[in-house]
Structures are given as C-alpha cells and as structure tokens.
Amino acid sequence: VTGGARATGSELDRLLTLAEDDVAGRYTATVEPGWEIGHAVNGGVLLALVGKALATTFEGRRHPDPLAVSGYFLSAGQSGAATITTEIIREGRSMATGQASVLQDDPDGAPVERLRVLATYGDLARLTDEVRTTAEPPDLPDPERCLSASAGGAPGAVAAFIQRFDMRLDPATAGWALGEPSRRGVIQGWLRMADHREPDPLMLLLAVDAFPPVTFDMGIPGWAPTLELSAHVRAAPAPGWLRVRVSTRNLAGGLLEEDAEVWDSRDRLVAQARQLARVPALLA
Amino acid sequence: VTGGARATGSELDRLLTLAEDDVAGRYTATVEPGWEIGHAVNGGVLLALVGKALATTFEGRRHPDPLAVSGYFLSAGQSGAATITTEIIREGRSMATGQASVLQDDPDGAPVERLRVLATYGDLARLTDEVRTTAEPPDLPDPERCLSASAGGAPGAVAAFIQRFDMRLDPATAGWALGEPSRRGVIQGWLRMADHREPDPLMLLLAVDAFPPVTFDMGIPGWAPTLELSAHVRAAPAPGWLRVRVSTRNLAGGLLEEDAEVWDSRDRLVAQARQLARVPALLA
C-alpha cells in the first residue's frame, strides 16, 4: 500500500506510506527522526498514522475519510518502526466505525502499545453542502506580519519537528515566546507544511496537535502530555494556508482541556478537536 | 457487585447495580423501561452504565473515577438485559486506561454491540486543588423561574425519560418549546435527579447527554443521534443542583458538534463533553 494518488516526495506522505502486513488490517510504518517533541513522537503524528491505516482498511468500502477519531495515549512513541493494527467494528451505509492501535517494540522486542483509537469514517465528498456555522475564523494578521515559529529560536527538543511546518503565530498570542504570556489561554496562527504539501483530512489530524501547547500562553513552560484527544474532521480542506486556534478555559486539578479549531483558505471550519492533557509541573 | 455505599432506592443507582459475571471484567445489568428517547436508550444512560462497569473493574486499583470517556455508538440500545465487558489496557501510578463494550442480544439471541468505549480513570480526590478557570457558569434565573421540562407537555417518546429528572430550562433558551427557537444554538438550565439522588462522577456521564438536543434551538425538530461523545469529568460534584449548558457552533454537512458543560453548586466546572451528532432530517 502506498499513499496512492497522494504519494509524493512530501515528508508527511513519506510518514504515511504504509506497508501491508500478511495479517489483514495490519500495517507497518517507519517514523523518521524529527517527528518528536522532546522524547516522544508528537500525538498528531501518531493520529495521522493511525488515521491513514484506518483509511486504507476502509478505502475499498466507500468510507475513505475520518469523521471522528478518539485517541488514548498509552506510552511515548519513538522514531523507528511501528505496527498499526486495525479492526472494523461496524459498517453502515454511509459510515463505518473501527478500532486501531499503534505498537512499537521495546528493547527486548516485546510489543508496547503507544496509542489506541476508536474512529468513525465516512465520505466527506458525499456530505450535504449545508453550512450553518456561527463560529468565526480567527482574525489574524497576514502571514508575513506573524511570528515564524520555525525561523530559529525554537528549543532543540522541538526544532526538527517545527521545521517540518511553516507556522506563523499571531504576535498578539505569542507574547509567551518573549517571556510575556497573555494568560488568556489562546494561541493562534497560520499553518502549512514546510514543503507546501497541501492539506487533506489526514493532515488535519496532525494539525490539531501541532501547535505549541496552550499552557505556554498561561505562563506554564514544559510540555503538556495528552491523555486523550478527540478530533472531528468536518470538511476536506481547500488548498493553501490553514488557520489554527488552540484555547483552554479550564485548567484545574493538574489537568486542562485544549480545544483546537482549524479553518481552511475558503473560511470553512474543517476540523475541531479537544484534548485532555496534564499540566506540566511548574518549574518554580 | 452492588453500588456499594451508594446503593440506595434511587432510579439511577438501580440502573447502575451490576451483577458480576463468571468471566472477569464482565457484568450484567438491566435497563428498566423509561430510559429511552423514542426507540433508543439515551446515550448518557449507556455511558453511565459502562462508566460504572469500568469503575468496578478499576475500583480495587485506586482508580475509581472516570476522567475521560469516549464512546462510539454502534446501534440503538433497548430496555432489558445488557452485558458490559471491560478490559484494562494500561495501568499507571495515578491513572489507568481501559476499554469497554455494551452488548445486548438480538431477537435470535446473538449479541449486538451498542457502544464501544475507551476511557481513562483516576482518583478525583487525589488531584490538586489548583483551579484556574476562565470559563463562567451559565447565568440562570432561579429554578422556580425556569421552565420545568418534566411538568407535562413533553412528547410521549421522551415523557418517561424526562420524568426521571428535575430539569428547569432557562426561558431565554427555551423559546423552541413555544415554537420560537432563538437559533443561537444554546440551551441551558438546572438539572437534578427527580428523586434527589445527589450527583457523583457517574451521574455526570448521564448529565452531559440528558438535555434536549441543541438542534431544537436551531429550529430543527427530531432527535439528533450521537455518533461519538467524549466526556471529561474534572471534579467530583458537590451536592445540590447542577447547571448544564449545551451549545453548538458548527452545523454543517448534515452533522453538528454539541458541547455540554456541567457546573456544580459551588460553581466548579465539573464536566465538559463534546459529541458529533447527525442533524435530524428536516421535516419540510
């Protein structure tokens, strides 16, 4: 199995090029170095990978696109070989539901589960054209007036990851990068792949977890590990820049919710996601 | 297995009284008539049921409370006998992740899966007391100035379900009941069990899906079947009334997200949930 019509030289398509195993619904992949945040592969990377595996399983069945994907993160993914198992739970006329796991071998060769997912797939092209959205896209300065997250200054632990993207942060929500977090709990900006690979539904699964953690804007440094992330893909994105807004309203009990919304170049809300994450331990 | 200290004469505790099967982690329950919305058992009822089964499995293991629960609805639940299977996926020091399914027999005695769930459990009493919430509780008139949803007028299909609750809707968001939907996509009000059983984390799983569908406020009659619902329980609720707010911002392509937030009597945001649901077919 390859990425089909989408297989190109892009970094993301290389990640999403799966090999079919001899067991039906099981795939192998290679996570190249540089998809990690610190010591763990980024959660959106694992979601896109599992999303591709389920899309492949459902492909011949007229349910090519993720509509809802809920992932529970079990252990820190590493670069290297990964196995993705998929199972079809239920197939309906217009939608199908499946389960999938990402596994990697521990140093002794025993499989360790990184992520378990439930997901419902369908065909975004067959949904109605009706849109009644009261949500409004983030109001952003032009990309060239935003702060390029990849233009240097990113800490070593995230530098390689960030450079796979062209990420331009709204200066109004990037004060934390200069030591002045707004504490409003919002980070927003423009996003595309650095190699200009166009967005598609699988790339949206990456986009909902690619931004800096919203805790940075709350004045809390460190990474906020995701326990659970549920994403809804609501439309196939148009080519061009995405706009992403991450926000939180309830930091409590050492946990926080982080909401992500992703808008495409024709102002369509193409993805929504919410995750429950741990608040990083405060460094004094 | 019974509800332990919580086993009382309450309707909800009766629902949540499980019998242990001879297979470890498998339970049986009886869903009495009157927990349905139309022809299907309410989604929150199934979530609370599966939540109780996982709580029982995790109980001796110091992870008694649901923190995150994601349910994928596979077929319409019926009143009568149900089997709940649970599996522990991963156990950590402060949290554990599991999977569960609700099954019922079809008329030929073959098991049919109603709901599959992934969930992370922990101990709400052991979370830190830190709260930094920018969200604000819904601003509601006193309960006696609200519209009692159970005081008659509810259509036959929901009458029995509604009467298990004392639900008082804010008149400002209940215009749809008089044929004048606000079309803002918000319904809010007070909620408690009709028999005054106090709220607890499992009751919150019911509360996030107990309100009328927010599509009513969009002028769309009919029921909006849930595809997926993810709930976060953020604190054990204090005794007394809950306040619930359901809202939507993106009705598009025949689907909508419905967000629910639940506040307790000491103004703590105790649960957040988001579901992806089908927009009911418009009746002319």
Side-chain angles (χ1 to χ4, degrees):
Chain A
V1 177
T2 67
R6 287 175 190 145
T8 67
S10 91
E11 293 182 320
L12 180 56
D13 289 313
R14 224 158 49 228
L15 173 75
L16 300 182
T17 300
L18 308 180
E20 221 158 321
D21 194 272
D22 46 3
V23 175
R26 199 167 74 180
Y27 309 91
T28 54
T30 303
V31 181
E32 291 170 14
W35 285 110
E36 300 101 331
I37 301 286
H39 71 293
V41 172
N42 167 263
V45 170
L46 294 183
L47 280 180
L49 203 55
V50 92
K52 175 62 184 285
L54 282 165
T56 307
T57 294
F58 283 134
E59 206 161 35
R61 298 163 180 269
R62 307 186 57 210
H63 309 299
D65 301 312
L67 302 180
V69 179
S70 298
Y72 281 68
F73 292 85
L74 303 166
S75 60
Q78 312 295 329
S79 59
T83 300
I84 304 115
T85 60
T86 66
E87 174 205 344
I88 298 175
I89 303 173
R90 180 187 165 276
E91 259 196 283
R93 205 156 30 92
S94 61
M95 293 180 193
T97 299
Q99 177 169 328
S101 291
V102 179
L103 302 147
Q104 292 187 306
D105 286 351
D106 75 8
D108 299 330
V112 178
E113 193 168 357
R114 302 302 189 202
L115 170 66
R116 191 174 295 193
V117 156
L118 294 174
T120 291
Y121 274 59
D123 187 345
L124 290 168
R126 278 157 62 202
L127 298 184
T128 74
D129 288 333
E130 184 193 21
V131 177
R132 289 166 65 181
T133 300
T134 58
E136 298 200 353
D139 185 19
L140 298 175
D142 291 341
E144 52 276 16
R145 293 176 171 273
C146 286
L147 199 70
S148 173
S150 20
V158 301
F161 178 79
I162 288 286
Q163 274 157 31
R164 296 187 184 272
F165 300 93
D166 187 354
M167 190 186 290
R168 314 280 182 95
L169 301 180
D170 180 352
T173 66
W176 50 269
L178 306 167
E180 289 173 11
S182 82
R183 300 185 197 274
R184 290 184 304 131
V186 179
I187 300 177
Q188 59 188 25
W190 302 89
L191 184 73
R192 60 182 176 187
M193 301 307 299
D195 57 18
H196 293 196
R197 186 239 197 226
E198 294 294 356
D200 65 2
L202 293 178
M203 189 265 181
L204 296 180
L205 297 180
L206 173 60
V208 296
D209 197 39
F211 257 45
V214 71
T215 36
F216 285 7
D217 186 55
M218 301 294 286
I220 304 171
W223 296 97
T226 305
L227 304 177
E228 178 267 333
L229 188 153
S230 289
H232 298 164
V233 176
R234 301 297 302 275
W241 282 105
L242 299 173
R243 281 158 293 171
V244 178
R245 183 178 197 271
V246 295
S247 60
T248 187
R249 300 189 312 146
N250 190 35
L251 192 152
L255 300 168
L256 79 155
E257 102 285 18
E258 180 173 303
D259 283 358
E261 50 185 70
V262 184
W263 297 77
D264 75 0
S265 60
R266 46 170 196 174
D267 281 354
R268 180 83 187 257
L269 180 49
V270 289
Q272 289 173 289
R274 176 173 291 165
Q275 63 174 271
L276 185 66
R278 272 183 207 267
V279 177
L282 272 170
L283 308 172
Chain B
V1 178
T2 68
R6 286 175 190 144
T8 67
S10 91
E11 293 182 320
L12 180 56
D13 289 313
R14 223 159 48 228
L15 173 75
L16 300 182
T17 301
L18 308 180
E20 221 158 321
D21 194 273
D22 46 4
V23 175
R26 199 167 74 181
Y27 309 90
T28 54
T30 302
V31 182
E32 291 171 14
W35 286 111
E36 302 100 330
I37 301 285
H39 71 295
V41 172
N42 167 263
V45 170
L46 294 183
L47 281 179
L49 203 53
V50 92
K52 174 63 184 286
L54 281 166
T56 307
T57 293
F58 283 133
E59 207 159 35
R61 297 163 180 269
R62 305 185 59 211
H63 310 299
D65 301 312
L67 302 180
V69 179
S70 298
Y72 281 68
F73 291 86
L74 303 167
S75 60
Q78 312 294 328
S79 59
T83 300
I84 303 115
T85 61
T86 66
E87 175 205 345
I88 298 174
I89 302 173
R90 179 187 166 274
E91 260 196 284
R93 206 157 30 94
S94 61
M95 294 180 192
T97 300
Q99 177 168 330
S101 292
V102 179
L103 301 147
Q104 292 188 304
D105 286 351
D106 75 7
D108 300 331
V112 178
E113 193 168 356
R114 301 303 189 203
L115 170 65
R116 191 173 295 194
V117 156
L118 293 174
T120 291
Y121 273 59
D123 187 344
L124 290 168
R126 279 157 61 202
L127 298 183
T128 74
D129 287 334
E130 186 194 18
V131 177
R132 290 166 65 180
T133 300
T134 57
E136 299 200 351
D139 185 19
L140 298 176
D142 290 341
E144 50 277 17
R145 293 176 171 273
C146 286
L147 200 69
S148 172
S150 19
V158 301
F161 178 78
I162 287 286
Q163 274 158 29
R164 295 188 184 273
F165 300 94
D166 187 354
M167 190 185 288
R168 313 279 181 97
L169 302 179
D170 181 351
T173 67
W176 50 268
L178 307 167
E180 288 173 12
S182 82
R183 299 184 198 277
R184 290 184 303 130
V186 179
I187 300 176
Q188 61 187 25
W190 302 89
L191 183 74
R192 61 181 175 186
M193 300 307 298
D195 56 18
H196 294 198
R197 185 234 196 231
E198 293 295 354
D200 65 3
L202 294 178
M203 189 265 182
L204 297 179
L205 297 180
L206 173 59
V208 297
D209 197 38
F211 257 46
V214 72
T215 36
F216 284 7
D217 187 55
M218 300 294 284
I220 304 171
W223 295 95
T226 305
L227 305 177
E228 178 267 333
L229 187 152
S230 289
H232 299 165
V233 175
R234 302 297 301 276
W241 283 105
L242 299 173
R243 281 158 293 170
V244 178
R245 183 179 197 270
V246 295
S247 60
T248 187
R249 300 189 313 146
N250 190 36
L251 192 152
L255 300 168
L256 79 154
E257 102 284 18
E258 180 173 305
D259 283 358
E261 50 186 69
V262 184
W263 297 77
D264 75 1
S265 60
R266 51 178 186 170
D267 282 354
R268 180 86 186 257
L269 179 49
V270 289
Q272 288 174 292
R274 176 174 288 166
Q275 62 174 273
L276 185 65
R278 274 183 205 265
V279 178
L282 272 169
L283 309 171

